[in-house]
Each structure stands twice: as C-alpha cells, then as structure tokens.
Amino acid sequence: MIPPRRPLAALAFLLIPTAFALADEPVKLAGSARFDLTADAKTGAIDDGRITVGDGSIDRPNWLPADRQTGSYTINFPVSRIGWRGLSVRFTPRATGTVAVTLMGPWEQASPGVLYRQEVLWDDIKADGAKLVDGGFEQGKGAEVPGWESRGGTVVVQTAEVAAASGDRYARTWHNETLSSKLDVTAGTPVTLHFKARAALPKGFREPKRILSHDTPAHRAAKRLRHGANFGNDLEVPPGQTWAVNYNADDIRHVRAEGFDHIRLPVGWHHYAGPAPEYTLSPTIFQRTDRLIDAALAEKLGVMVNIHHFDDFTTDPAKNTAKFLAIWRQIAAHYANRPETLAFELLNESKDAATTEVINPIFAEAIRAIRKTNPDRTIVVGPGKWNSIAELSQLRVPDDDMNILVTVHCYDPFLFTHQGASWTGDSDDRKQTGFVFPGPPKSPLKPAPGLALSAGFLATIKAYNTLPTESNPISPRVMDQAVARIKEWSDYYGRPVYLGEFGAYTAADPTSRANYYREFRTRLEAADIGWALWDWRAGFNYWNPKTNTPEPGMHEALFGGR
C-alpha cells in the first residue's frame, strides 16, 4: 500500500528541458498556481474561505504566527500549459477595510534555499462583492500595471503560441516576482474572486510528442486493463516481517469470478537482490511471484507486476540507479516468453528525491533495457510525487515507443479515504474518524475527545459539516476534478492513462465506502479510464477473508450500475 504521505541531477539537467538551470535560478514548468489574500489592520480577519468553482486548496498560512493567520488565506490550484483553468474563491471580511490579492506561483525548492522559477500566467480576474481594477490587465505593459503593485510581476501581450483568455494581454508572475491589488471590502459582505491561470512555457521547453492514433499497442492494452485489484501487502513486504497477507490461488479465482480482468502485483524485488555489480535476484522471489502470475494467467486475468517501495532508490536515485536497472534486466529476461497480458510497471509511487524530472531519463534507460528482451511488452510508467496527477505535465516517455501506458494514483478526498489509518502520521488530525461520503453528514461531526486538532483541520470539519455536497470537501467533486485532469492530458498527448490505485480504508462505514467506489468508478468508466482498486484484502478490502464474500455493497458499487 501507499506509505505515509509527506507534504543523476546532472543527467536530468542535460536530458530534461522542463527543469534546467540559468545561473542560480532553476526554471521549471509550473504544475500549480498560487495567490494569497491578506487583510489590512482595519479588516482584521477574513473568514469562511472556500473554493466554489474549480480544483484547489485554501489554507491559512501556517508559517505566520497564530494570531496573524486569521487575516490571510493562501490558495493553490493545478494549472497546465495546455489551456486556461478557472478557479473561484469566496471569503467574508469581519470588518470594513481592504484585502490584498497577491498573484505569484508555487513554492518548490530546487535545493535548500533555492526556489524553482515556475511562472504562471493570469487573466480575466473578476470580483463579486468588491471592486477590482483591470483584472484583464488590458491597461498594463511590463511592470506598469494600473491598479496593481508590481514586485517583479509583469503584463505581456499574447503570442501565437499562448493566446489570452480574454483581450490580448495577461499577467506573468512567479513566487518571487508578484503582482498585488487591493480590494475595498465591507464588513459581513461576502466577496467572490474568479481567476483564470495557466502555466507559462519555460524557455527551451520540449513538448512531448502528441500521438494522433488511438489504436496503438498501449491503447489496446488499456482496453484489457479495465477493472483491476491490487494484491498489496504481500510480495513487497521485506523478508522476516510478519504482516504479509499471503495471497493464493483461491484469491485469483475469486477475483475472476467477481468480474475483475486483471491484478496489479506489487513486488519488493530490491529486498532479494545480491551485491553489486550484478545485483542477482534470489530464486525465491521469482518462485513466489511466478506462482501468482501463472495462476492469474491461467484464469485469463491480466497481470501488472511492478517494483514496490524501493525506498533506497527514491531517497538517492543516483546511488541506486544501477541496482534499479539490473533488477529490470533480470525481470525482463525471466518473463520474456510470458503472454502480452503481463505488463511491467517500472516503479510504484516515485517520491522524495526521485522527482519526475530525475526519473525521466532513468526510466528511459530502463525502457531501452527491457525492450532488448521484450520488444512488444506493455510498460507502465508514472510521474513522481506518488504518481500524482498534477505531475503529468512533467512526465517524459520515449516519443517513439507506442506501447507505454501512463499511470497515476488518486486517494482524494484523503480525509475520508485514510481516516484512522495509522501509517499516515502521528498528527492528531490523522486520528479523527467518522467522516461519511458524501458530505455533509446528517448530524454534524464532532471532534473526537482528547485530540488536539489543528485550526486548519477544524475549519475543514466545519466546511464538511455545513457546505452542500456540490462544494463539500468530501464529495464527488474531487473525483470530477481528478478525472478531468487525467482526461485533459490523455486527450491532448494521445497517451492512454490508467488509475493504478484508489480506495478507502475500512475505518470508514460500509455505506460510505460503497458510495465512494461507485461514484469514482462511474466517472472513470465514463471517461474511458481503466483502474485497479487498492486493495483486494489488505485493509482497504474489496474481499472479506472472514466471510469469504465481498465487503457490503462493494460488488454492486464496482460492477452494478448506479
């Protein structure tokens, strides 16, 4: 399963033009936009901040002293270089005064103390309940922007490559070069701000090849991988540890009988590798893996086998690349004669130092190595930050390889799907349970006694208790946004995308779990996206090993209609 979430460098620099250095200022394609709201002393505080349209997060700035946080919000939302994305945010001032709106970009360190320059374009900004000067930036030029204070942010004329959302001009900012405007606000009068933003193209940006055919080997493989189940917490468990699930042929038969068409098989190959330079894999891990693969293939199930939880690699990719490549050469050779219904997934949830930019050239080398023995095998590749959808824009795969299936993971809304999960951290926020899907609940959720919940978490509980389903933080809205972002990238670049993990921990009530799976599944199928749930019977159960039947409502949720 996924580990706790935690909100070759030279080679990557040479090969990956989406992250490259100019003097001391590394440049990268932005995956998100950011703006801040800050009340003046007269206004004092702004409350009830929430996103009303679009996909993003709104939080109090936790880097400020607690007594100043109530006067500010920081808002982040995903953007793409493909087109403009909209976002609307609402807040209410406690007193009459002004609120500053500051346009910037994401905060992401390239190295300690050095931020990536991730430029964001802004246009067509409007305000309801307050006056905003020239939100379309039509009167501005360079750093001269009437109604806006420039701290490095500029206004530019549209180009043939990037047209304005409206008019012929837009603003350009990043974290360290901003534009700010002040809104006159009235006590108790809600203000709604509407934004459009997109990622600016860095100089030297290399566009991935767009594939026009939808009948590539990868597309045909994607049609076979529609409804899958992860066999997690078994073969990836380190030797000597006792928490493994131990799947068997009965599980395979039940998977097939329930209507699934494939299994995803996490394997900790790295635990069984010998010393450098050969890193020879133990026959033991091949024997254990063969047993499940062959049983699945005999039942006419597809299989996706990966490297799972290779934490040494994701902590220090350069040091462990040779081992990573040696493992894949051996896996590829061992399974070269298996049918095409066996797919190879290079790595589960690349994270930490193994950023998308760093793993792109390493994955390209692994693909070349696999192709020597498996020229027609489907290879599955995902971006960094735990296979984040937002990282798709940074992913690069070999342009001429038509049998690569792209994978992402999504556990939104995380408050619901991981409530009560001990591995997500020690914060009391992670211990709160009782969330139902979808919100709001019939009776307000009360914080559990004895938990020291953060102010931000308490604000989220308030929103969950009070907001209607269409804008609730625990609702199908987050699924709509995830599917839309997957489909946008897939349609534009012509690469099929597969959701390799989604699921809800069994601490949630059965009805809510069934609701969650049904709502996500129907949206994925409408968008023609295949999936594999986490998991079969390892804590996010589809199958109940005690009753030897599906968990309540699960079969109907995943295979029954609405």
Side-chain angles (χ1 to χ4, degrees):
M1 223 310 273
I2 55 174
R5 297 296 203 229
R6 306 170 183 87
L8 299 189
L11 182 61
F13 167 76
L14 290 171
L15 298 182
I16 306 302
T18 54
F20 56 95
L22 294 176
D24 294 327
E25 192 174 273
V27 180
K28 180 179 177 181
L29 181 71
S32 63
R34 173 184 163 189
F35 63 92
D36 287 356
L37 303 174
T38 308
D40 68 350
K42 289 183 178 180
T43 305
I46 50 179
D47 297 313
D48 300 322
R50 59 188 174 99
I51 293 171
T52 58
V53 176
D55 176 13
S57 64
I58 179 168
D59 301 290
R60 296 295 190 183
N62 58 14
W63 55 89
L64 295 178
D67 60 347
R68 293 176 54 194
Q69 291 183 18
T70 57
S72 301
Y73 283 112
T74 184
I75 297 91
N76 291 270
F77 63 103
V79 293
S80 166
R81 56 86 54 220
I82 298 172
W84 295 93
R85 285 188 181 159
L87 188 85
S88 297
V89 171
R90 177 174 170 148
F91 67 91
T92 303
R94 289 188 191 175
T96 298
T98 64
V99 172
V101 181
T102 303
L103 310 178
M104 50 178 64
W107 185 94
E108 182 181 356
Q109 291 192 109
S111 58
V114 179
L115 297 187
Y116 280 116
R117 183 185 184 105
Q118 297 181 76
E119 292 187 315
V120 177
L121 306 180
W122 304 86
D123 201 2
D124 206 18
I125 303 174
K126 299 175 182 177
D128 301 329
K131 183 179 179 181
L132 179 70
V133 177
D134 194 20
F137 306 103
E138 295 306 303
Q139 306 305 312
K141 183 178 181 181
E144 299 297 323
V145 193
W148 294 79
E149 177 187 358
S150 171
R151 294 188 176 181
T154 60
V155 168
V156 297
V157 177
Q158 68 179 351
T159 65
E161 193 170 32
V162 181
S166 62
D168 65 359
R169 297 172 190 238
Y170 41 75
R172 189 180 188 117
T173 68
W174 70 287
H175 185 276
N176 290 352
E177 294 182 357
T178 65
L179 284 170
S180 296
S181 186
K182 291 184 177 179
L183 305 171
D184 291 326
V185 298
T186 304
T189 300
V191 176
T192 302
L193 296 171
H194 310 276
F195 298 82
K196 288 183 180 176
R198 65 186 293 168
L201 291 177
K203 185 178 180 181
F205 176 81
R206 178 179 70 83
E207 180 82 297
K209 180 179 180 180
R210 297 180 66 183
I211 298 171
L212 301 181
S213 172
H214 283 185
D215 190 32
T216 68
H219 285 90
R220 293 192 290 273
K223 292 183 182 300
R224 298 192 300 266
L225 299 168
R226 308 306 297 171
H227 310 125
N230 274 276
F231 274 22
N233 294 14
D234 184 6
L235 298 179
E236 78 270 33
V237 176
Q241 297 190 14
T242 60
W243 51 279
V245 171
N246 298 320
Y247 296 100
N248 54 47
D250 286 340
D251 290 301
I252 298 286
R253 286 190 289 270
H254 290 314
V255 165
R256 182 62 173 169
E258 286 295 303
F260 293 93
D261 55 32
H262 72 283
I263 61 170
R264 181 171 176 261
L265 197 58
V267 185
W269 300 96
H270 48 288
H271 297 308
Y272 297 86
E278 292 83 5
Y279 300 104
T280 303
L281 291 171
S282 165
T284 299
I285 191 59
F286 278 118
Q287 292 165 4
R288 294 179 63 201
T289 306
D290 289 351
R291 176 176 55 84
L292 289 176
I293 288 177
D294 292 340
L297 294 176
E299 289 286 342
K300 307 301 182 184
L301 288 170
V303 181
M304 186 181 297
V305 64
N306 71 11
I307 298 179
H308 213 82
H309 293 337
F310 192 177
D311 290 344
D312 287 346
F313 174 80
T314 56
T315 299
D316 191 342
K319 183 178 179 180
N320 290 280
T321 292
K323 184 175 183 179
F324 176 79
L325 295 173
I327 289 171
W328 269 116
R329 283 193 292 269
Q330 294 173 78
I331 297 170
H334 184 83
Y335 293 114
N337 294 324
R338 292 301 200 281
E340 65 176 357
T341 49
L342 173 65
F344 295 159
E345 181 181 353
L346 295 185
L347 183 68
N348 174 75
E349 293 189 345
S350 184
K351 58 186 176 66
D352 301 335
T355 65
T356 312
E357 295 83 6
V358 168
I359 61 174
N360 279 331
I362 300 173
F363 281 2
E365 190 171 352
I367 291 168
R368 287 193 293 272
I370 292 169
R371 287 288 176 244
K372 291 179 180 179
T373 53
N374 292 256
D376 301 318
R377 180 79 56 200
T378 299
I379 299 175
V380 184
V381 178
K385 293 184 179 178
W386 301 275
N387 290 155
S388 168
I389 297 170
E391 283 289 296
L392 282 172
S393 62
Q394 312 293 344
L395 183 66
R396 295 292 180 276
V397 298
D399 284 343
D400 58 351
D401 196 316
M402 297 296 108
N403 203 2
I404 293 177
L405 179 62
V406 174
T407 185
V408 291
H409 295 175
C410 182
Y411 286 93
D412 294 336
F414 200 77
L415 284 178
F416 169 75
T417 63
H418 281 66
Q419 58 184 303
S422 60
W423 62 87
T424 59
D426 296 329
S427 166
D428 277 6
D429 291 356
R430 299 301 189 195
K431 300 174 184 177
Q432 176 70 49
T433 58
F435 293 101
V436 301
F437 187 93
K442 292 180 179 178
S443 299
L445 175 67
K446 296 180 180 180
L451 294 184
L453 302 179
S454 68
F457 194 85
L458 290 171
T460 301
I461 290 179
K462 179 181 178 181
Y464 162 71
N465 283 334
T466 59
L467 295 181
T469 298
E470 57 268 20
S471 57
N472 199 282
I474 295 181
S475 74
R477 180 182 69 142
V478 296
M479 301 170 178
D480 291 330
Q481 294 159 355
V483 170
R485 287 158 60 192
I486 293 171
K487 189 167 175 55
E488 176 191 57
W489 187 90
S490 179
D491 288 350
Y492 188 83
Y493 289 110
R495 295 274 185 186
V497 179
Y498 161 88
L499 187 67
E501 289 186 20
F502 75 108
Y505 188 48
T506 48
D509 70 273
T511 299
S512 291
R513 292 185 74 234
N515 290 342
Y516 162 86
Y517 284 99
R518 181 181 62 254
E519 294 297 334
F520 216 154
R521 183 264 302 175
T522 55
R523 284 161 172 77
L524 292 167
E525 290 183 350
D528 198 27
I529 298 169
W531 49 262
L533 59 85
W534 190 279
D535 51 40
W536 179 246
R537 57 173 179 94
F540 285 59
N541 299 15
Y542 174 92
W543 192 255
N544 186 323
K546 294 180 179 179
T547 64
N548 226 24
T549 60
E551 292 281 353
M554 290 292 286
H555 181 84
E556 294 77 8
L558 288 165
F559 297 101
R562 296 191 65 87

